[in-house]
Structure formats: C-alpha cells, structure tokens
Amino acid sequence: MSKKTYRQAINEALRQEMERDERVIIMGEDIAGGLGSPGEQDAWGGPLGVTKGLMPKFGRDRVLDTPITESGFIGAAVGAAATGLRPVAELMFVDFFGVCFDQIFNQAAKFKYMFGGKAVTPVVIRTMYGAGFRAASQHSQCLYPVFTHIPGLKVALPSNPYEAKGLLIQSIRDDDPVIFFEHKAMYDLEGEVPDEPYAIPFGEANVTREGDDATIIAFGRMVNFANDVADKLSKQGISCTVVDPRTTSPLDTETILETAAETGRVVVVDEAHPRCNMATDVAALIAQDAFDKLKAPIKMVTAPHCPVPFSPALEDLYIPGPDKIEAAVRAVVGKAH
Amino acid sequence: MADIQPIVMPKWGLAMQEGMLAAWHVEEGATIAKGQEIADIETSKIANAFESPLSGILRRRVAGEGETLPVGALLGVVADPSVADADLDAFVAGFQERFAAEMAARATEKGPEPETVETAAGRIRFLKLGEGDGTPVVFVHGFGGDLNNWLFNQPPLAEGRVTYAIDLPGHGGSTKEVGSGDVGAMTAAVCAFMDAVGLKKAAFVGHSLGGAISLDLALNHPERVHSATLICPAGLGPEISVEYIDGFMTTSRARKLRPILEMLVADPALVTNEMVEDVLKFKRLDGVEAALNKIASATFAGGRQALQLTDKLGALQVPVQVIWGAQDRIVPASHGQGLPASIKVTLLPDAGHLAHMEKANEVNELIKAFVGD
C-alpha cells in the first residue's frame, strides 16, 4: 500500500490489466504521442499524462494513437470488443461524445439484447468530465446522466484514487460496455492505493461517513466535498451519513433507500445540470419508496441549468461546492445559521 | 519535579499518528492504578479503552474530551499531593515546549515499515520490530487477519528482542498461493519464513488459526519453538462459528460486514468503520477470495475444524500457554478446558475472540512473563 495520485491509480490499473490479459488494448487521441515524428515518443502520455509509460512497455500494437475522429475510433473500439478484444478507449472530454452517440447508444449498448444474449461487448470508454478547469462550456460538462439513461451501458464515477483503480479494473473485466468518468480536477488527488490489482464490484455504494442527522448522497468529485462538509458539521453537533454510489448504472438503490430512511433528511449532490440528472433520479427514488420515512423535503444541490461559464468567477459560483452543500444540510436539519 | 509523571497519547500500531480522547473515566484528584481504564481513545483503526501505564494521583487532565492529539502528546499528569500547583504548571509548560520541538523533528523521520522476503513458500510480508538478544518472538495472525492485528502487542514485546509479525500465505501482502490451504501448509510456510530470515528458534504467539499453526509447530518442530502462546486458538476442539466464517467470506458491503466483525469482540463499539473498510479492501485484492476459500474448506469446512490436536498435547516438549476471551463467539472458550495440567490456561472475562486487542495489557504481561527475557 502506498500513496498514489488519481492519475497514477488509473495508469496502474491499465498497466496491470494489460499485463494480466493480452486482449486488453488501449486507444485514443495522443495517448502515446509522437507517432510518425522523429522526436520524443510518449512525451506526454496522453493529454493529461494518464497513459504515460504504457506505449514503451506494451508497444504500439496495444497502445494505439487514433485520428481526431471520435466517430471512427469509438466505432472501432466497439467492433473490436464485439470480436474478441477488450479495448479501453479514451475519449478525451465527455463533451465530445455527441459525434459518436450511435456507436455507443445504438450499437455497443444493444448488442447483447439484439443478439439474444450471445454477444458481449467488453469495451471501456474513459473520459474526462467536470468543471473547475477554466476550460469553458465545451470541455467542462458532466453528462453522466445521459449515459445512465441508456440500458446496456454501465457508468462508473470514481471519487478518489482507491476507487479509480478498483473501479477501472472492474470496468475492464466487465463484459458490458462501461463509460468511465474521470474528474479532471482530481488527477493530482492523493490517497492510499494497494500495489496489487483489485476490483470493486459495481452497484455497491460506499458509505463514507455514518451519522444520525442527515444523509448526503453525492456523485464523483462531489463525494469529497460531502465528506469535508460532514467532517466540519460533526464538530458542530450535526452528524451526517455520506453515500458514494460509485456507479450510476447499476445504481445501489438499496443502500440509498436504507441510508435515506435512517436519517429521514436527505441532500443529493450532483455536479450535472439539474434537469434529469442523478439528483432528480435519486430524489424521485426516495420520494417514491421511502416517503414515509422523510422528516423534511429532499434538497438537491446541483449546478444551475446553464452552460459552464468561461468566466472564472462565474465558474466558481457554478460548481455545487461545500458552502452550498453545508447550507442544504443545515436547511434539512432545521439549523440554518 | 522528579515526582511528576506524564501520561501521554499511546501509540497503538504503526499506522497510528494521532488519537481522539473520547472520554475520561477518572476525575482530577483521583487515585489511579496501573492497568486501570482511565479514558477512551479512538483512532482511525480502532476505538479502545486506555489503561493507565502508571499508578498515582491524577493531578491534571491536560487533554480535553473530544480533543484529537498526536501520539506522545500530554494527556494528564500524575504527581504526589505534596507537589505544588506551580510545579505542575511548570512541568506541563516544559513538556509542551519539548513536545512541540519533537513534533517538528518527527515530521521528517519515517517509522518502521513492513518488508517482504521470498521464501520456499513464496513471498511473505512481515514487520520486524526491536533489537537485542532476548528470545525472538514471531506473531502469527488468524484467518482473514494480517500482521496489523498485533498493533497493540508487538511494540511492547519488542523491547530488548527481535519480533516478527508475519502475513500468512493468502493474507495481507504475502503470496496468494496457499498450497493445500490446511494448517500443515501454513506451518510449512512459517518454517520457510524462518529459514529465509535466518531465524532458528523463536517464541510463538498465535491467534485463532495462527494458534493452531503455532501449536502444530510446537508439536512437530519443537527444535524451532521456544514456547507457544495460543490466543483463542483453533485446533483444540471441533466447533467454529460457521456464521462468522460464511459471513466473512460472502459479505461485500460494509454495512452488512460490520455485524459479522462485531462477533469478534465483546464490546461491538471497538469495531471502527476503518477496520471494516480494511477487511473489504483486503478481500477485493486479486487472489484473496480463492485463497481464503481454499483455507476455509481445508481447515473448517461445514463449521467443523479439520485439525484436532488435543489428543497429542501429552507429547508436547515445549511450554505452551493458552489465553482465551471468555466471550469468544468464534471458537468457544470451552475448548480451553480439560487440557493437560502442564498447559497454563488464562480466561479473560470481558474479552471475545480478539482478546489480544481487547485486553492488550493483560495479554502482553502474560506473554512477557511466559517468554521470559
């Protein structure tokens, strides 16, 4: 066990799975870099250094740089998965998925259903999401609710380095298509990560804090904010349960309902836009199945319904940060000051 | 000033950097005895009662309830009634000043860390603590445990001697190849470890399955065993909690695993979230599930212990003692009854299966007295 960053944890998961199973290949824009140039190879290791060192170790047959044509290489990854490989494709920013929705929504997600359960599509698509990077509206969205909506896709949202390694290994070993979301503000986040390979099962939420007064259900990076808020409030006599669902599809409805019922006061934190996001989904679930346990209306803490602003000042206001989470918890427990 | 003694935040295991003083059990001015539970301390790993390291009158409670303090920080001051308040104040001020300097120095140093060694039985991870020519001690954990189970025991035993806490095959940072997975395979792995580190003979302290392994060593390799302390050991009767073993093996959610782990202790409050999380993290490692299944089916399939050593105890050539938590819900303490008179049996009334963690001071004293110098 040693301290690793989120970036290193993802790199280690890729490396260990490529060592374990030669069918695992990785592909994407600039994930090796330097193809066809006489200069330095693997200079960057992908746009944010996540795949650094993999091309020299595994060679260009298993680490494929692709053209800037998402519709082409995502289709190729889906096809390769359907015919026996286990590709991990990197689609730099989740904002760019629009051009290859058909390959994902209509092909990868449907093969198992349309071919009578005889086809498997073990493809993983890694992508960056989230605001806070001063990257404006076309490079800062969350969009995981869009993929969660499609039956046949699995969606993972690792909230720290330990989760990132274990969930990525599970994603690669899973026989269904998985969209794997990496928050770009977390790449340098450090945490204890075992050196050995390990897999975290999908659909099993992690209860990171246990409390009596309120339940905070948070997704991805927001889990860290929720933990910080819970720690702060516990010193002021408000104790919170914090739930990290880990995957939005499959969703651990059992743990969500159980922890919501225990406190009866619920805050759902979701960085995605507020219409049809995970917060509305979870709030609806609780309202439908645990209404009789609620002691206060459910509070949703989300981004506003607008594109991510380019102005740094506005972007900071856009993010559902700790202050907003704290205010929501205080509101549901009736101690707003 | 010499009559003033500090009580400081204890260090329970390698990972402990700080602890939270949850509650005091004694008031200022109270007479306290060594070993008396004077406070509750919570760490990220475990919550436990803090037993006073010395006797006297608690003149000052320096640390407040709810305060989180680094290891070694001043919790209270013990002194004779004749010591003046001004002297107490001077002592506290002086201590805090030295401690602040020590903390600044500590920030740069690194404590002992587990090592690994390649043995005939594969990679074995171990933690070596202490030096000196006292009888070396080897700690062997139980099923599903690891070397960290000895966090309350290994440091105090390491004074004047070399101690090793090992991870058995299939556990912790050791190989996940467990051979046949039975006690004999584990015993062979322990011998292979001793060969690899050049250890000829040692006093063994084994818990649960590790107790059966230590006893197997004492019976079959007496030349390598100075003495054996068996804590809530397997191997002395047929029963073992199938509810615990199955629950431990099959539960992957923290909230469901917690009640299973609470079966290990007399006071369920000792089980912290981090302890539950650590077990889950271990079980998720590649190869662990298969290794544990193999060990479980080879050693206690169907809730019956495969290896029964009770009939062979008459042939023991080395000293053996047994320590049992009376409230053990995993392996019944009744297995400690009716053993040959040469085996000293100590029953700890308020302890469960993790007696060495729940009653660390008492267990440590029993081990020290038994092992000698």
Side-chain angles (χ1 to χ4, degrees), chain B residues 95-158:
Chain B
F95 186 100
Q96 302 292 36
E97 193 178 317
R98 284 194 308 280
F99 186 68
E102 193 190 311
M103 283 304 292
R106 202 193 286 177
T108 56
E109 73 181 34
K110 208 174 173 193
E113 292 201 14
E115 309 162 52
T116 56
V117 61
E118 286 301 325
T119 77
R123 186 183 73 248
I124 297 287
R125 186 179 73 147
F126 65 99
L127 176 67
K128 183 181 178 183
L129 286 187
E131 49 190 64
D133 48 14
T135 307
V137 174
V138 176
F139 293 93
V140 188
H141 63 79
F143 177 77
D146 67 19
L147 56 82
N148 293 314
N149 294 161
W150 304 105
L151 81 171
F152 298 125
N153 317 100
Q154 192 183 7
L157 264 294

Side-chain angles (χ1 to χ4, degrees), chain A residues 273-326:
Chain A
H273 305 302
R275 297 283 91 78
C276 300
N277 68 359
M278 290 314 302
T280 58
D281 187 72
V282 167
L285 170 78
I286 295 168
Q288 177 177 276
D289 292 343
F291 186 76
D292 57 332
K293 303 291 195 308
L294 290 177
K295 298 170 186 162
I298 300 164
K299 276 270 181 197
M300 292 186 275
V301 184
T302 71
H305 194 62
C306 72
V308 180
F310 184 48
S311 150
L314 291 177
E315 187 181 22
D316 291 345
L317 282 174
Y318 170 94
I319 296 168
D323 291 349
K324 291 173 188 160
I325 300 169
E326 181 182 334

Side-chain angles (χ1 to χ4, degrees), chain A residues 204, chain B residues 143 242-253 256-257 260 280 283 289 292-293:
Chain A
E204 292 192 6
Chain B
F143 177 77
V242 71
E243 190 189 345
Y244 173 77
I245 300 291
D246 284 357
F248 185 91
M249 297 296 300
T250 57
T251 308
S252 65
R253 288 161 191 255
K256 301 215 163 81
L257 184 61
I260 306 282
L280 285 178
K283 284 179 5 133
E289 192 181 348
L292 290 182
N293 273 321

Side-chain angles (χ1 to χ4, degrees), chain A residues 227-248:
Chain A
N227 285 337
D228 291 346
V229 168
D231 292 345
K232 179 183 173 190
L233 290 178
S234 76
K235 293 180 181 131
Q236 299 170 23
I238 301 173
S239 76
C240 300
T241 292
V242 178
V243 180
D244 172 5
R246 285 182 169 139
T247 52
T248 56

Side-chain angles (χ1 to χ4, degrees), chain A residues 173 204 252 254 258 262, chain B residues 252-253 255-256 284 286:
Chain A
R173 295 177 187 179
E204 292 192 6
D252 185 354
E254 185 186 336
E258 189 181 291
E262 279 168 4
Chain B
S252 65
R253 288 161 191 255
R255 302 185 124 230
K256 301 215 163 81
R284 285 182 196 128
D286 273 10

Side-chain angles (χ1 to χ4, degrees), chain A:
Chain A
M1 187 91 84
S2 53
K3 276 211 181 245
K4 289 165 195 146
T5 63
Y6 194 76
R7 175 187 288 110
Q8 287 169 327
I10 294 166
N11 182 282
E12 191 166 275
L14 290 169
R15 183 166 49 76
Q16 289 180 338
E17 286 305 285
M18 290 179 81
E19 282 169 353
R20 188 186 62 83
D21 185 346
E22 63 178 16
R23 294 172 301 170
V24 178
I25 62 163
I26 63 174
M27 53 201 294
E29 295 160 6
D30 272 335
I31 60 168
L35 184 61
S37 87
E40 195 180 348
Q41 307 283 301
D42 192 38
W44 280 83
L48 287 172
V50 175
T51 51
K52 180 101 180 145
L54 297 176
M55 191 279 285
K57 182 168 173 61
F58 297 103
R60 287 198 183 269
D61 286 347
R62 294 180 69 195
V63 182
L64 291 93
D65 270 339
T66 65
I68 309 177
T69 313
E70 290 83 2
S71 53
F73 81 82
I74 292 298
V78 170
T83 51
L85 293 178
R86 305 187 84 87
V88 182
E90 177 177 308
L91 207 172
M92 214 179 280
F93 292 97
V94 72
D95 313 72
F96 302 166
F97 273 64
V99 296
C100 52
F101 271 0
D102 183 69
Q103 289 81 339
I104 299 167
F105 292 172
N106 262 343
Q107 309 306 328
K110 303 291 192 293
F111 286 165
K112 186 159 98 179
Y113 297 85
M114 293 179 66
F115 298 126
K118 290 176 186 165
V120 295
T121 314
V123 63
V124 181
I125 305 176
R126 292 179 40 239
T127 190
M128 285 190 272
Y129 76 103
F133 216 59
R134 311 298 185 228
S137 59
Q138 295 169 324
H139 303 78
S140 302
Q141 297 169 85
C142 286
L143 300 187
Y144 43 79
V146 176
F147 298 88
T148 307
H149 181 73
I150 308 293
L153 298 180
K154 291 176 178 172
V155 180
L157 288 171
S159 59
N160 64 43
Y162 176 83
E163 299 286 322
K165 180 173 172 183
L167 288 172
L168 183 52
I169 288 180
Q170 177 61 38
S171 301
I172 294 171
R173 295 177 187 179
D174 202 288
D175 276 341
D176 291 323
V178 180
I179 317 295
F180 188 85
F181 281 82
E182 301 166 14
H183 199 296
K184 42 184 119 48
M186 289 203 291
Y187 280 122
D188 292 318
L189 182 71
E190 281 197 335
E192 293 284 341
V193 179
D195 298 330
E196 300 102 315
Y198 59 94
I200 300 175
F202 283 174
E204 292 192 6
N206 188 21
V207 181
T208 62
R209 299 288 186 279
E210 298 248 15
D212 304 320
D213 299 319
T215 300
I216 311 174
I217 297 151
F219 293 88
R221 184 189 183 202
M222 298 298 115
V223 175
N224 300 302
F225 290 164
N227 285 337
D228 291 346
V229 168
D231 292 345
K232 179 183 173 190
L233 290 178
S234 76
K235 293 180 181 131
Q236 299 170 23
I238 301 173
S239 76
C240 300
T241 292
V242 178
V243 180
D244 172 5
R246 285 182 169 139
T247 52
T248 56
S249 181
L251 184 68
D252 185 354
T253 55
E254 185 186 336
T255 299
I256 290 171
L257 289 169
E258 189 181 291
T259 53
E262 279 168 4
T263 66
R265 301 175 194 277
V266 179
V267 173
V268 195
V269 189
D270 184 355
E271 194 189 321
H273 305 302
R275 297 283 91 78
C276 300
N277 68 359
M278 290 314 302
T280 58
D281 187 72
V282 167
L285 170 78
I286 295 168
Q288 177 177 276
D289 292 343
F291 186 76
D292 57 332
K293 303 291 195 308
L294 290 177
K295 298 170 186 162
I298 300 164
K299 276 270 181 197
M300 292 186 275
V301 184
T302 71
H305 194 62
C306 72
V308 180
F310 184 48
S311 150
L314 291 177
E315 187 181 22
D316 291 345
L317 282 174
Y318 170 94
I319 296 168
D323 291 349
K324 291 173 188 160
I325 300 169
E326 181 182 334
V329 174
R330 288 183 182 283
V332 296
V333 301
K335 290 178 187 170
H337 50 74

Side-chain angles (χ1 to χ4, degrees), chain B residues 27 31 55 61 64 66 74 81 122 131 150 241 253 256 266 279 306-307 317 322 328 359:
Chain B
E27 299 297 327
T31 303
S55 303
R61 298 198 320 197
L74 193 61
E131 49 190 64
W150 304 105
S241 169
R253 288 161 191 255
K256 301 215 163 81
V279 169
L307 186 70
Q317 298 169 41
V322 173
D328 193 334
K359 294 290 159 198

